[in-house]
Amino acid sequence: MVRKLIVASFAALLLTGAAHAQSIAATSPQGIVSAMQGAGYKAVLGKDSTGDPMISSGASGSNFVIYFYGCTKNLACKTVQFSTSYTGSTPSLARMNEWNATKRWGQAYVTDNGAARVQMDVDLEQGGMTRALFIDNVEYWVAAMAAFEKFIATK
């Protein structure tokens, strides 16, 4: 009986370690790239205009970027933001307010240059999240992005 308890405890420790090893955190942009590529998404690591990490990606024919925030000297970032913009169709303020009031995923607004933008923040502080949960967030983003495209295409 004691032997079974020891074996079970050891197995639980191994599983906990394996789950922790698969954590996705903003402190590891390459880990995010690997997770996305492993799930079949395009993901190219680069830098934004301030030198912070930035990932270029896409899904269903639409491009998006992942910005990193809360970085210390362009490293040790805390959060990420999925973002994309659409030019050519500038929804009214009332229409954008309708999106924000009725949709839970993806905050929308019109940029200073008239582009419709949708974004989604993901908090990866305090150890990040599992790979599976991160990819689930990517899938929520892709769904929100597709819904936003349909939304701005209709008046």
Side-chain angles (χ1 to χ4, degrees):
M1 183 64 146
V2 172
R3 184 179 179 122
K4 286 183 181 179
L5 183 59
I6 291 171
V7 169
S9 296
F10 184 69
L13 282 173
L14 286 176
L15 288 174
T16 301
H20 183 66
Q22 292 184 1
S23 284
I24 300 299
T27 56
S28 176
Q30 187 57 52
I32 293 174
V33 167
S34 296
M36 291 182 69
Q37 289 174 343
Y41 292 95
K42 172 181 81 170
V44 177
L45 183 59
K47 294 181 187 264
D48 68 11
S49 62
T50 66
D52 287 338
M54 180 182 81
I55 296 172
S56 299
S57 188
S60 303
S62 295
N63 294 322
F64 64 91
V65 294
I66 302 174
Y67 294 108
F68 287 71
Y69 288 95
C71 305
T72 303
K73 297 182 182 179
N74 307 115
L75 301 169
C77 306
K78 296 178 180 176
T79 63
V80 297
Q81 181 184 76
F82 295 82
S83 181
T84 193
S85 295
Y86 301 91
T87 57
S89 173
T90 304
S92 67
L93 178 59
R95 189 86 170 121
M96 296 306 267
N97 284 341
E98 178 186 342
W99 171 270
N100 288 324
T102 60
K103 305 296 184 206
R104 186 167 175 206
W105 304 105
Q107 173 191 17
Y109 62 96
V110 176
T111 66
D112 290 341
N113 67 356
R117 180 171 290 164
V118 64
Q119 306 173 161
M120 186 178 90
D121 293 307
V122 178
D123 183 3
L124 295 172
E125 287 186 271
Q126 306 301 320
M129 63 179 60
T130 65
R131 180 180 289 251
L133 182 56
F134 180 77
I135 295 304
D136 191 48
N137 274 271
V138 173
E139 291 167 359
Y140 271 109
W141 164 250
V142 170
M145 191 172 60
F148 186 70
E149 290 171 6
K150 288 179 186 172
F151 182 82
I152 62 173
T154 60
K155 302 285 178 187

